[in-house]
Amino acid sequence: MHMAASDGMGILIPIWQEIVVGLIAFALLCFLLMKFVFPRMEETFKQRVDAIEGGIQRAEKAQEEANQLLEQYRRKLDAASEEAAAIRDEARASAVADKEEILAGAREEANRVIAAGHSQVEASRQQLIRELRSEVGTLAVDLAGKIVSADMAGKPTTEEAVDRFLAELDEQSTASGAR
C-alpha cells in the first residue's frame, strides 16, 4: 500500500478502515442529531410559530376590541353632544321664558305704579280744588264785604254765601266741562 501511495494516486483513495470508521461515526452522529437535536429544534420552532401566530391573533383581537371601544366612545360622544345641545336649547328657552315673565311682571308693576300715581295725583288735585274753592270763596266774601263796606266775617250768612258761591262755581265748571 505504501507503494500505491507513492505513485501519486494513493492520496486520492482513502484507506478503507478510515472510510468504515468515518461512516460509523457519521451514522452515529446522524442518529444522535435525529433522535435528540432535531425534535427539540422542531419543538422550539413550533413554539415560536405558535407564539408569533398567537401574537398576531391577539393583536388582531386587540385591534378589533380597540375599534369597538372607539366606536362606543364616538357614539357616547355623539350622544353627549346631542344632550349638551338639548340642554343649551332648553336653557335658552328657559331664559327667554324667564325674560318674558320678568318683563310682564315689570310691566304690571309699572302699570300699577302709574295707576297709583294717577290716583294720587287725582286725589291731590281734588284736595287742591277743594282748598282753592274754599280760599276763593273766602277771598270773594272778603272782597264783597269790602266792596259793600260791611264786614261779614264770622257771621252765619258768610258761610251760606260761600256755599252758594261754591255751588255756582261747580255749576259753571260742569257746564264748561260739558261743552
Side-chain angles (χ1 to χ4, degrees), residues 28-174:
L28 183 65
L29 180 63
C30 285
F31 176 74
L32 289 174
L33 285 175
M34 288 182 172
K35 182 74 175 171
F36 297 108
V37 177
F38 290 153
R40 286 192 179 180
M41 286 177 58
E42 188 67 32
E43 185 178 321
T44 304
F45 179 70
K46 280 185 180 180
Q47 288 175 353
R48 284 188 179 176
V49 168
D50 288 343
I52 290 171
E53 288 177 357
I56 291 172
Q57 289 174 352
R58 284 191 305 272
E60 288 174 351
K61 187 176 181 180
Q63 181 67 32
E64 184 179 319
E65 288 176 3
N67 288 338
Q68 288 174 353
L69 285 175
L70 179 62
E71 187 62 32
Q72 286 177 351
Y73 288 138
R74 284 183 181 163
R75 281 182 278 178
K76 287 180 181 179
L77 182 62
D78 290 343
S81 295
E82 290 174 6
E83 185 177 341
I87 289 171
R88 278 193 308 267
D89 292 343
E90 184 178 318
R92 284 185 188 130
S94 177
V96 167
D98 289 348
K99 176 184 170 188
E100 292 299 323
E101 185 178 321
I102 290 170
L103 286 175
R107 285 186 198 112
E108 288 177 15
E109 183 66 20
N111 290 338
R112 187 186 63 75
V113 167
I114 289 171
H118 283 295
S119 66
Q120 187 176 7
V121 166
E122 184 62 28
S124 295
R125 183 177 159 266
Q126 292 299 326
Q127 182 180 356
L128 191 60
I129 288 174
R130 281 192 301 271
E131 289 174 4
L132 283 176
R133 281 185 183 172
S134 171
E135 213 174 298
V136 166
T138 306
L139 287 174
V141 169
D142 284 344
L143 185 61
K146 287 181 183 177
I147 290 176
V148 203
S149 295
D151 188 4
M152 298 176 126
K155 295 182 183 176
T157 55
T158 305
E159 290 178 13
E160 291 174 6
V162 169
D163 288 339
R164 261 185 301 159
F165 180 71
L166 290 176
E168 288 175 10
L169 278 177
D170 282 337
E171 289 175 9
Q172 287 178 358
S173 66
T174 349

